[in-house]
Amino acid sequence: MEPVLELLMALKTAQREVERRFGRLLRPLGVTAVQAEALLIIADGQPVSIADLGARMAADPGHPSRLADRLAAAGWIDRRPSPHDGRRTDLTLTPAGRDLVERIVEARQPFFDRAAEALAEAGLIGVLSDVRRLLDLVRELPDPD
């Protein structure tokens, strides 16, 4: 297998495995890993537009809007037209959403603590800067015609 493809597949597999474990961890809270990620992004920068949510989640077109619909139906976010741009829909947390975000952060902390210890023991603490550089390099590659 080509080394570049093997690296990309390994990163994708690692991401899926973390998401699977987060899914199990978050199940008692009644939220999926993808929903939790969206709620955390919204909490981090309220208000967040649907387009910004999609960009931060690296989501396929249409997915952020459907995800926002599900989060709103659950009562975790409000969707409102932006007062500054009529084409933009702003997303903010409801009180129930803020409560859920607090519980998500609390539930994931032991996992993050164990993961940080494992990365340190494996000598991989500096890998984040390498992955960021890899992402920058991939973004600079020309699109195939």
Side-chain angles (χ1 to χ4, degrees):
M1 180 180 293
E2 293 290 328
V4 172
L5 182 59
E6 187 173 358
L7 172 62
L8 295 175
M9 289 177 67
L11 289 171
K12 187 175 183 177
T13 301
Q15 186 273 334
R16 284 182 177 165
E17 182 62 22
V18 167
E19 192 167 293
R20 184 182 66 77
R21 289 171 187 238
F22 273 149
R24 284 199 322 252
L25 179 74
L26 298 171
R27 193 172 298 131
L29 301 179
V31 63
T32 68
V34 171
Q35 290 170 333
E37 179 184 3
L39 291 168
L40 291 164
I41 289 169
I42 295 167
D44 188 46
Q46 296 184 74
V48 173
S49 73
I50 291 176
D52 290 342
L53 178 64
R56 290 194 55 195
M57 293 184 75
D60 294 329
H63 181 261
S65 184
R66 291 188 303 274
L67 177 58
D69 289 343
R70 289 191 300 275
L71 296 175
W76 297 325
I77 67 165
D78 284 323
R79 294 174 59 135
R80 293 202 172 98
S82 170
H84 309 293
D85 183 348
R87 299 166 295 171
R88 175 182 158 134
T89 299
D90 286 338
L91 309 175
T92 57
L93 295 177
T94 63
R98 285 190 296 275
D99 178 64
L100 180 56
V101 165
E102 288 177 16
R103 292 186 294 140
I104 290 167
V105 169
E106 184 178 310
R108 71 181 188 170
Q109 195 57 54
F111 177 84
F112 281 165
D113 292 344
R114 286 192 304 274
E117 288 174 19
L119 286 172
E121 289 172 6
L124 294 173
I125 289 297
V127 76
L128 178 57
S129 63
D130 292 335
V131 172
R132 285 181 177 150
R133 285 191 3 239
L134 172 65
L135 180 57
D136 290 341
L137 290 170
V138 168
R139 286 179 173 154
E140 291 173 7
L141 291 174
D143 281 331
D145 292 329

